[in-house]
Amino acid sequence: MSVEGPLSNIPDDVIEYLLDQRKRERELTIEKELLKELIKKVQDIMKMLEGRDDGLPCTISAGNVYQMSTVQQVRDNLAANLSVTMVLFVKAHRKLLRIQSDLRQDYHTVLETVHNSGTTN
């Protein structure tokens, strides 16, 4: 990557690192949004089961596979799924916050370096 002017003083590995971090930030943002959608979907299904007798039979499906279950079993499985998904969401959120904080600091350092190199020339 060729950069003209004061930015040319920044080593290529620093620029590559920053680009990699931005890519990771985008990936985590997408992951977090997908997990958020999954949490919403599970919560919506759980709302559909509110007020229903735990022992009632119900049919669950995934694709073309159907299975008989009870409301209680479905609730338990949804609660477990929701718990795992929430943990993954929180982990992705924390990683995203950490990367964003690091990026802000790194950009500040790069801008400071560019500014200082521009004033010394």
Side-chain angles (χ1 to χ4, degrees):
M1 178 182 304
S2 175
V3 181
E4 299 298 322
L7 294 178
S8 63
N9 294 336
I10 301 169
D12 286 345
D13 57 336
V14 171
I15 291 175
E16 289 299 320
Y17 168 78
L18 291 172
L19 291 173
D20 287 344
Q21 289 296 87
R22 290 296 281 183
K23 180 181 175 190
R24 183 69 180 130
E25 179 188 29
R26 283 189 302 275
E27 290 168 351
L28 282 168
T29 300
I30 291 168
E31 178 182 341
K32 186 179 158 188
E33 286 304 312
L34 291 173
L35 289 167
K36 190 174 170 180
E37 289 173 16
L38 184 58
I39 289 168
K40 175 80 171 106
K41 183 178 178 181
V42 170
Q43 288 174 331
D44 290 345
I45 295 170
M46 289 179 84
K47 281 183 184 178
M48 287 187 341
L49 296 175
E50 284 180 5
R52 296 189 185 202
D53 183 28
D54 289 344
L56 283 175
C58 65
T59 304
I60 56 174
S61 70
N64 290 331
V65 178
Y66 295 86
Q67 180 180 338
M68 288 301 294
S69 188
T70 64
V71 170
Q72 183 61 49
Q73 288 171 327
V74 172
R75 260 196 207 114
D76 291 346
N77 289 333
L78 288 170
N81 182 301
L82 185 61
S83 178
V84 169
T85 306
M86 290 293 283
V87 167
L88 294 174
F89 178 85
V90 169
K91 284 182 181 180
H93 181 71
R94 286 182 179 160
K95 286 178 187 177
L96 183 58
L97 289 177
R98 189 170 39 250
I99 284 177
Q100 288 172 336
S101 175
D102 290 349
L103 274 170
R104 277 192 300 277
Q105 183 62 41
D106 293 341
Y107 283 139
H108 176 74
T109 302
V110 167
L111 290 175
E112 200 172 271
T113 301
V114 168
H115 178 72
N116 289 341
S117 69
T119 58
T120 59
N121 287 340

